[in-house]
Amino acid sequence: MVLAASLPASAQDASSIGAGGPRLVTAEARRLVTMPALPTPPVASMAMLADEPQETAALTVETFDTASHRVHVVSMAGKTWRAAAPLEGPRHWLAFDPARRKFAELLPSIRVELGNGVDPKAVAKAVDAVGIEVFETLGFAIVMLPTNLHPAAAEARIEALPGQPEAALKLRRPRIQWR
C-alpha cells in the first residue's frame, strides 16, 4: 500500500507528522493513516494504491474542533467514519485502519529494538522521552513519549538515528471487562 498526498511543505517535515496532515504508518502489522494533531482542511488528493482493492483506492481526511472535542472525519468509497477526542485531558493520537474500516488509538509510547549497538539513551534524547524501560535480555525498550509528540513523528526521529534503530508504533487495546 502506498499513500500519496499533496501536503504543504511544512507538513513534510518528520517532526510535524500528525500536525501537518495524515501519514501512512504501520502498527502491529496493520497499515494505518494517522489523524492530524491539529485542525486541517480536507486532504482530498490522498490515494492508496498497490495492493488495495478498488473501493479503498482513495480516501479523504478532515480534522476540526468543536467546543469540547477534536473531530476526525474519514471518507472512503462513498462512506464516512467519525471519531472524536476530548480537547481537555490527555492527548489521544488516532489513526484510521482502511482495511478494517475503523479508528484505532496509538499509545503514547513506542517499542524500539536494541540490536546493532543502539544506545537507549540516544533514543530517549532524540524524542525527549519522559521515560524509557529497557529490557536488555529481550533486546528492546519501551519509550514513553512527551504528550506533545505524535508517535509517528517519534518513530521517524528514531529511525533516522545512526544505526537506524527499528521503532514500532503500538495500538491501545480494548479494556477487559471482568464479570
Side-chain angles (χ1 to χ4, degrees), residues 33-113:
V33 179
T34 62
M35 296 297 104
L38 301 172
T40 60
V43 178
S45 63
M46 188 170 299
M48 285 184 286
L49 308 170
D51 57 351
E52 290 301 306
Q54 184 63 29
E55 66 271 7
T56 62
L59 60 86
T60 301
V61 176
E62 178 181 10
T63 298
F64 62 90
D65 287 347
T66 65
S68 61
H69 286 80
R70 178 150 297 132
V71 180
H72 305 284
V73 182
V74 174
S75 299
M76 179 177 69
K79 295 184 181 177
T80 301
W81 294 266
R82 290 178 176 79
L87 292 172
E88 298 295 322
R91 184 168 277 187
H92 297 271
W93 301 110
L94 298 178
F96 183 74
D97 184 340
R100 295 183 182 184
R101 291 175 158 66
K102 66 181 194 176
F103 286 91
E105 185 175 355
L106 298 171
L107 285 176
S109 62
I110 55 177
R111 176 186 166 127
V112 178
E113 298 299 321

Side-chain angles (χ1 to χ4, degrees), residues 114 120-121 132-137 140-142:
L114 296 176
K121 290 179 184 176
I132 185 166
E133 184 84 25
V134 178
F135 301 92
E136 284 189 42
T137 57
F140 70 91
I142 301 296

